[in-house]
Amino acid sequence: MEKNKQDSWIDINGSNENFLGRKTVDKSTFKYGTTIPARYHKVFQSNISDKLALVKSINVKLFINQKEFPALVSLRKSEVKAGITMQLRYSNKALLELLKEKLEVSYDYIVQYEKENDKKPSTIPAEYQEYIDFYKGDKIDTFILELIPKSKSKLEDEELEDEVILEDDLDNEFATINNINAEVTYIYDYITSKGFYYEKDLIANFYLSLITKPFVILSGISGTGKSKIVELFAEAVGANTNNERFKLIPVRPDWSDATDLLGYRNIENKFVPGIIIDAAYEAMQHLDKPYFLCLDEMNLARVEYYFSDILSSMETRKINDDEIITQKLLSRAQFGKDERAYDKYGDVYIPQNLYIIGTVNMDETTFPFSKKVLDRANTIEFNTVDLKYNFEQVYLDELSPKKYHNDFLKSQYLKISECKDEKEIATKVIDKLILINKILEKYQQHFAYRVRDEIVFYVIYAVKNQLFSFDQAMDYSIVQKILPKISGSGGEVLDILVELFNVLNNTKYKNDGYIEDEQIRAMEKESETSKYKLSSQKIMYMIRRFLRDGFTTFWQ
């Protein structure tokens, strides 16, 4: 084989018959992959199942310490060199981070050189050089990579650490899911076995809210178990504090911007990642496992001040190669000249397996929510308190948590056009929402497409998985997506509430500026047997408060 003096491959004879070649690490290693010299084309092609051609890529698998990563082999026209080049390309975030971590001498040199010269080095000096050995895998279309850092002893230590991680991963076999209703029942039983009691419908509602959109608000008086249900639900599906897939974050009253969540540059101009960035980065490394972030006492600070950037990013969700992604959370400018931080966190987005739940109390020490926030979440109330305790209902033996694949919680729909197979349910939901919105529109309180779509998704998930009937699912959706945004002291607020009650219950009660006690009692009796019981009772609470205080709101 004749070596091109400019390429980064070293021609040596490996002792292993599967040895293909050794590459010196360069700037492309940590971003794109590598160009395979012409003299190696034949041996690489012999390990690929299909013949390479221009504008055609073949999927292959790379293995490092038995960890599997996706990659592509392709032929491309070279703009720098004459002729055709063979390229091994990869963009997997976990693989790139592993390479940066294991081959850190070369990587640090590249980062420092670019910082000082505003360009990446074309070559790496011998004292910083590290290598990758390529081998054929046991199966076609697989390659084994052996990383050779500057310190051999360091490599051996890190390989032992990787084996421990690998054993832990093998232990995390996911539960088989045949029936969503049965799995929600198991989660309910697991939580009950821990000595905590919540209504089963509440667990089902929480599950449906998460799968509809991975941002949920839990509201209620202090001590009702809002943050505990998040912890126990996460624990039941395999996410806990020990494996760092559940984190409880106390919100501070002095949060006035997004720096605590997204990050900032310190006095040394180094980027310090925030809470959301850290959580999203970790979740991106394991897209098959759900991660939970609970923002406790979320409205101790103004939510719009510190959370608006995250809310905006959530609205950019789209499907890319069967993965739900959002726009990047950070801009290039936020990293300054910290190239290493940019390489690590620059592509971080809100992954499909990160679920953010905020708990809130509504009292004189907290801030109200804007409609922008309420528009983007299901708001679940925890205000009903039953102090009785059934000791017989607690299991003597605690149940074990299951390990669920993220598909159990992953949204199936992002756009209403994707609901075509369930159009009968969707149309029925939309017809009901049109009646409600006609009332709200008269008073400029109507909602738009986002609320419509998310209610449609919620009801489809509920009915299709037999968790709620259609009317139950609509009831939860109205009380969680529509009623929280109604508040005020004007007479039109009372008009809205009475008209909503009528359209939900097919009644004809009137509001003449004041409602007599007899009518209130009749409406309350009607709400007890209503097919929209939760919504009707909440409307009655809001009406009573208006008549008592001259002002009303959803919040208690």
Side-chain angles (χ1 to χ4, degrees), residues 505-521:
N505 294 285
N506 196 26
T507 53
K508 296 181 180 180
Y509 293 108
K510 296 185 179 298
N511 168 40
D512 297 321
Y514 185 82
I515 303 176
E516 298 292 339
D517 290 344
E518 184 178 351
Q519 180 174 318
I520 291 292
R521 287 193 294 270

Side-chain angles (χ1 to χ4, degrees), residues 209-226:
S209 298
L210 286 173
I211 197 172
T212 299
K213 195 171 191 179
F215 174 49
V216 178
I217 295 173
L218 306 183
S219 165
I221 62 175
S222 181
T224 48
K226 298 183 295 295

Side-chain angles (χ1 to χ4, degrees), residues 362-377:
M362 288 295 179
D363 56 35
E364 66 280 356
T365 67
T366 60
F367 293 96
F369 284 105
S370 70
K371 290 185 178 180
K372 175 182 178 179
V373 178
L374 296 174
D375 212 35
R376 289 161 166 79

Side-chain angles (χ1 to χ4, degrees), residues 294-491:
C294 181
L295 298 175
D296 198 29
E297 303 288 357
M298 190 179 191
N299 60 334
L300 278 179
R302 286 197 177 276
V303 178
E304 298 77 20
Y305 289 178
Y306 70 85
F307 205 64
S308 58
D309 290 343
I310 291 92
L311 285 174
S312 296
S313 291
M314 284 181 182
E315 296 311 307
T316 66
R317 291 199 304 163
K318 63 181 181 180
I319 297 177
N320 182 27
D321 293 333
D322 200 38
E323 178 189 342
I324 299 173
I325 64 171
T326 68
Q327 69 180 19
K328 297 174 185 178
L329 286 169
L330 298 167
S331 67
R332 179 65 182 85
Q334 288 173 274
F335 293 93
K337 293 186 177 182
D338 192 342
E339 292 296 331
R340 185 156 195 171
Y342 176 66
D343 278 349
K344 183 172 183 178
Y345 299 110
D347 293 329
V348 170
Y349 55 88
I350 301 174
Q352 62 190 18
N353 58 329
L354 179 60
Y355 302 90
I356 302 173
I357 301 97
T359 70
V360 301
N361 292 327
M362 288 295 179
D363 56 35
E364 66 280 356
T365 67
T366 60
F367 293 96
F369 284 105
S370 70
K371 290 185 178 180
K372 175 182 178 179
V373 178
L374 296 174
D375 212 35
R376 289 161 166 79
N378 271 293
T379 302
I380 302 176
E381 273 200 301
F382 284 68
N383 281 320
T384 301
V385 178
D386 184 357
L387 298 180
K388 292 183 293 185
Y389 188 78
N390 186 350
F391 287 92
E392 303 302 323
Q393 195 159 8
V394 181
Y395 296 94
L396 294 177
D397 296 321
E398 291 186 6
L399 296 180
S400 298
K402 290 186 179 181
K403 298 180 178 69
Y404 287 85
H405 193 283
N406 186 60
D407 287 349
F408 177 62
L409 289 162
K410 179 182 173 183
S411 298
Q412 297 174 39
Y413 309 116
L414 297 185
K415 297 180 291 185
I416 198 166
S417 59
E418 298 164 352
C419 302
K420 188 175 181 180
D421 290 342
E422 307 294 339
K423 64 180 180 181
E424 289 186 14
I425 298 175
T427 302
K428 192 175 176 182
V429 173
I430 292 169
D431 288 345
K432 192 68 178 180
L433 293 178
I434 289 172
L435 294 176
I436 293 172
N437 220 25
K438 281 182 179 178
I439 295 169
L440 298 175
E441 193 170 10
K442 288 192 297 184
Y443 305 98
Q444 299 300 305
Q445 297 273 359
H446 52 297
F447 52 86
Y449 305 112
R450 181 190 296 115
V451 171
R452 177 202 65 184
D453 293 356
E454 290 177 10
I455 291 178
V456 167
F457 301 158
Y458 181 101
V459 176
I460 289 175
Y461 294 137
V463 174
K464 190 166 67 170
N465 295 307
Q466 300 179 331
L467 291 170
F468 292 137
S469 68
F470 176 88
D471 289 336
Q472 282 179 299
M474 279 299 300
D475 194 16
Y476 275 107
S477 295
I478 293 165
V479 83
Q480 292 174 180
K481 293 291 292 181
I482 297 174
L483 297 184
K485 294 185 287 184
I486 299 174
S487 64
S489 58

Side-chain angles (χ1 to χ4, degrees), residues 99-145:
L99 294 174
K100 293 172 187 176
E101 178 186 350
K102 304 298 185 186
L103 304 171
E104 64 178 349
V105 173
S106 296
Y107 178 70
D108 286 345
Y109 171 80
I110 293 168
V111 170
Q112 187 63 31
Y113 183 94
E114 184 175 18
K115 184 176 180 181
E116 294 173 356
N117 299 278
D118 287 329
K119 64 178 182 178
K120 285 184 167 58
S122 56
T123 59
I124 296 179
E127 61 267 31
Y128 299 106
Q129 286 180 358
E130 296 173 302
Y131 308 94
I132 302 175
D133 281 356
F134 288 79
Y135 296 84
K136 292 181 181 180
D138 295 334
K139 298 179 180 179
I140 203 77
D141 293 332
T142 64
F143 296 89
I144 297 172
L145 279 58

Side-chain angles (χ1 to χ4, degrees), residues 83 85 154 162 165 202 212 278 395 455-456 470 487 512 527 536:
T85 65
K154 182 174 183 180
D162 283 340
I165 294 172
L202 177 60
T212 299
D278 259 338
Y395 296 94
I455 291 178
V456 167
F470 176 88
S487 64
D512 297 321
S527 68
S536 297

